[in-house]
Amino acid sequence: MSAESARAPRRLPRLVVGGRDLTLEAGFTLLIVAFVAVAATTSDSFLTPVNLTSLLKQMVTVGLLSLGMLVVILTGGIDLSVGSVVAFAGIVTAGLAADLPIPVAMAVGVASGIAFGLVNGTLVARFALAPFVVTLASLTTIRGLAFVYSEVPIAPADPAFLDLGTAMVGPVPLITVIMLAVFAVGGVFLTRTPAGRSITAIGGNAETVRLAGINVRRHVVAAYTISGACAGLAGVILASRVGIAQPSVGVAFELDAIAACVIGGASLSGGRGSARATLGGVAVLVLINNLLNLYGVQSFWQQVLKGLIIIAVILVQRVNRSRG
């Protein structure tokens, strides 16, 4: 062995099938199987139908937020306002459900998320403001608007309001099917459409994309609008699932979304990440939360663990990149 080869960093083994690198997906599959095995052998409650159904429902909010967050992160940005959008969309939907047909009220809730995302994207793209600053300001502004709309929780009296959040498709909650469908559409959008590929390329090198004749501003606005739409839909679904909307809900939801993206291998500097891997990150994160709840771990220790997981994943990514 030569001195050069001895000093060269060793590449990690990769799993490539049909020309596609599935290493990350295979890793997630093994990790999820390990979590399930540990949970099934250490908790009598884990494999019960009630807990599994609850697990699938818990994935929906963080899943939708994570997909929207991924699209923004791919451009090199961040959206800290998604938790507040969840609160606003939910409280508006619940409030309007008393006077409007429920589907119309829900459409208004989703539309409010789209509007907030459009404003965020315009401020970031058109005025070249820092995404962190813009969405941090939106976080507090939208949260305030939710309290302006109603300082107290709203529980719609019409039982039909709960239909979306409680309906089942066989053994799977309808809202989980909706989330998976949104992920499928998001995955196709990011990998098979010019707009999706442009959004990913912007995070890699925005100037190169601009020189290629692609409208960078328009695609950045689109990314934040998609994030707002996902957050609005998550707020509507959450209100329907629990049967009550609160202006205070959604605090720190953005951290769960960022954590799921990072666990899924997305680069916070932009240009790298996928819908499939993010869904894997969501599954891992929700499994961890579920296990900690079953073990009776207090919520603040759960926050500590999430922070440590994010740091560990970022360190692993840094090591892998340094090894090429």
Side-chain angles (χ1 to χ4, degrees):
M1 179 182 296
S2 65
E4 288 75 9
S5 61
R7 288 194 297 269
R10 289 186 302 174
R11 289 179 178 273
L12 296 178
R14 316 296 297 179
L15 175 63
V16 179
V17 178
R20 299 172 61 186
D21 189 344
L22 300 179
T23 306
L24 192 59
E25 286 78 1
F28 275 124
T29 301
L30 291 175
L31 187 59
I32 291 172
V33 169
F35 271 125
V36 170
V38 171
T41 54
T42 58
S43 173
D44 295 333
S45 303
F46 180 74
L47 290 180
T48 60
V50 172
N51 185 62
L52 293 179
T53 302
S54 174
L55 194 62
L56 291 174
K57 289 183 176 180
Q58 289 171 10
M59 288 183 63
V60 175
T61 302
V62 65
L64 291 171
L65 295 182
S66 300
L67 181 62
M69 187 69 74
L70 171 68
V71 177
V72 172
I73 286 176
L74 285 173
T75 68
I78 199 78
D79 188 352
L80 301 178
S81 67
V82 293
S84 296
V85 174
V86 167
F88 186 88
I91 200 78
V92 167
T93 301
L96 294 178
D99 303 314
L100 297 175
I102 291 175
V104 175
M106 291 182 170
V108 172
V110 176
S112 69
I114 294 174
F116 288 131
L118 184 61
V119 172
N120 283 339
T122 301
L123 290 173
V124 171
R126 181 67 60 181
F127 299 100
L129 299 178
F132 177 86
V133 176
V134 169
T135 57
L136 183 62
S138 296
L139 179 154
T140 184
T141 302
I142 298 170
R143 177 71 63 187
L145 290 174
F147 277 98
V148 168
Y149 187 85
S150 176
E151 295 183 12
V152 297
I154 299 176
D158 190 342
F161 185 78
L162 304 176
D163 288 350
L164 176 64
T166 57
M168 300 289 288
V169 180
V172 181
L174 172 62
I175 56 176
T176 307
V177 175
I178 293 174
M179 181 203 70
L180 294 174
V182 173
F183 261 92
V185 172
V188 171
F189 169 75
L190 290 173
T191 57
R192 305 293 178 85
T193 67
R197 289 195 290 266
S198 296
I199 285 175
T200 304
I202 288 171
N205 191 324
E207 183 61 17
T208 301
V209 174
R210 187 187 68 79
L211 293 175
I214 296 173
N215 190 324
V216 174
R217 289 179 176 176
R218 187 176 65 189
H219 286 87
V220 171
V221 172
Y224 282 88
T225 305
I226 290 171
S227 178
C230 289
L233 179 59
V236 170
I237 287 177
L238 180 61
S240 176
R241 179 166 70 88
V242 300
I244 188 171
Q246 303 185 53
S248 59
V249 77
V251 175
F253 277 15
E254 62 276 3
L255 299 181
D256 284 346
I258 295 171
C261 292
V262 172
I263 293 172
S267 170
L268 292 179
S269 58
R272 188 160 54 86
S274 73
R276 287 198 316 272
T278 300
L279 182 59
V282 171
V284 170
L285 190 65
V286 174
L287 272 172
I288 292 174
N289 286 338
N290 187 255
L291 282 174
L292 295 177
N293 287 329
L294 290 177
Y295 295 152
V297 177
Q298 293 173 308
S299 60
F300 46 82
W301 279 113
Q302 296 184 25
Q303 296 297 324
V304 172
L305 182 60
K306 287 178 191 176
L308 294 176
I309 289 174
I310 292 175
I311 293 173
V313 171
I314 291 175
L315 287 175
V316 170
Q317 290 177 352
R318 175 66 62 87
V319 171
N320 285 338
R321 281 198 296 271
S322 66
R323 290 181 174 181

